Amino acid sequence: MNSKVKDAITVFLIQLVLTLPFYTANVYGLKISDVRVTSVASNSAIIEWSTDNLSNGKVKYGKTTFLGFTQRHDNFVENHTVALFNGIDSDTSYFFAVESADLLGNTAMDNNSNSFYTFKTTDITPPPQVTGLKVVSTTSNSIFLSWNNLSIADLNHYAIYRNRIPIANSTTNSFNDTSLSQNTNYNYKVSAVDNSGNEGPQSDTLIAST
C-alpha cells in the first residue's frame, strides 16, 4: 500500500472520529428532563428544565391547553431558566410546555405526555370588610359577639381583635370572649382571612361592656 493511500485512509479515519459525536447527536436527538416550576408569585412564575446538550429554550403557556403565550431565552446551555411575566394574572391556573433546540437544529419538546405541566399563581385579593358586628349577650366576665357571614369561596377564618390586639380566630361568624373583667368596656373589631393568608379590612369598632 503506497503512502498516498495510507494518508487518504488516515485523513478519512480522523474525519470520521471528529464527526462521530455530531452524527450520534443527530441520530439520538435532543432530550429534555427535569421540567419543574421553581417559583410562583401573583404575577410571575419561573420554569426550569435540563437538556443533554447545549440548546436554547422556550416556554409556551396559557390559561388553557391552547396556550397562546411564549417566553424564550437564546443562550445555548444545558440548564434552562425562563421567567414568565406576560399574561400572568393572580390566583389563576396555567398550562405550559417547554421546548429546546441545539446548535445542529435538533429540537425537543416536552408537554408532559400531552397532559401539560401546570402551575397556579398566588391570590393577592383580600376578602371584603366584615359588617354587622354586634353584641349578642354579656355576662359579668364574658361578651358574646356575632357579625354578618361572608359568602366567599376561599374564606379561611375570621380574626377577632380586642382593644386593637388580635386575641382569637373563629371559623364561624360568632365568638364568645371570656375571662374578662367585670363592669369594663372593651373595643372589638373583626376581619376576614382567606386561604392564601390575605386579610381584609377590619370591621367598624364595636364598644361592649361586661
Side-chain angles (χ1 to χ4, degrees), residues 99-127:
E99 183 178 312
S100 288
D102 64 19
L103 291 165
L104 298 176
N106 297 304
T107 300
M109 190 266 290
D110 187 347
N111 64 359
N112 196 23
S113 300
N114 293 322
S115 297
F116 293 93
Y117 295 97
T118 61
F119 65 86
K120 185 176 182 179
T121 52
T122 56
D123 174 19
I124 59 171
T125 304

Side-chain angles (χ1 to χ4, degrees), residues 2 16 34 40 48 53 60 66 70 77 98 184 191 195 203:
N2 59 45
L16 180 61
D34 196 20
V40 178
E48 296 185 358
N53 200 359
K60 297 180 179 179
F66 291 104
T70 299
V77 294
V98 301
T184 303
S191 63
N195 291 328
S203 66

Side-chain angles (χ1 to χ4, degrees), residues 72 136 145:
R72 62 178 298 145
V136 177
L145 306 171

Side-chain angles (χ1 to χ4, degrees), residues 127-128 130 133 145 147 150 155-162 164-175 187-194 197-204:
V130 171
L133 179 60
L145 306 171
W147 52 89
L150 289 179
L155 176 66
N156 186 276
H157 66 269
Y158 297 96
I160 295 90
Y161 293 80
R162 182 209 306 140
R164 299 183 179 181
I165 299 174
I167 58 169
N169 295 329
S170 175
T171 56
T172 65
N173 61 321
S174 63
F175 174 71
N187 295 335
Y188 291 97
K189 289 186 176 184
V190 177
S191 63
V193 181
D194 65 20
N198 300 306
E199 183 174 0
Q202 296 178 0
S203 66
D204 293 336

Side-chain angles (χ1 to χ4, degrees), residues 129-135 145-149 173 203-204 206:
Q129 183 181 31
V130 171
T131 60
L133 179 60
K134 64 182 181 181
V135 176
L145 306 171
S146 73
W147 52 89
N148 296 331
N149 190 44
N173 61 321
S203 66
D204 293 336
L206 172 68

Side-chain angles (χ1 to χ4, degrees), residues 16-17 31 37 54 57 63 73-74 92 118 122 129-130 134 141 147-148 151-152 157-158 168 178:
L16 180 61
V17 170
K31 294 181 180 179
V37 182
L54 298 176
K63 297 177 182 179
H73 75 80
D74 294 319
T92 304
T118 61
T122 56
Q129 183 181 31
V130 171
K134 64 182 181 181
N141 63 356
W147 52 89
N148 296 331
S151 298
I152 57 175
H157 66 269
Y158 297 96
T178 59

Side-chain angles (χ1 to χ4, degrees), residues 43 61-63 69 84-89 92 94:
N43 59 354
Y61 62 99
K63 297 177 182 179
F69 293 95
L84 311 181
F85 296 98
N86 187 32
I88 300 293
D89 299 321
T92 304
Y94 288 86

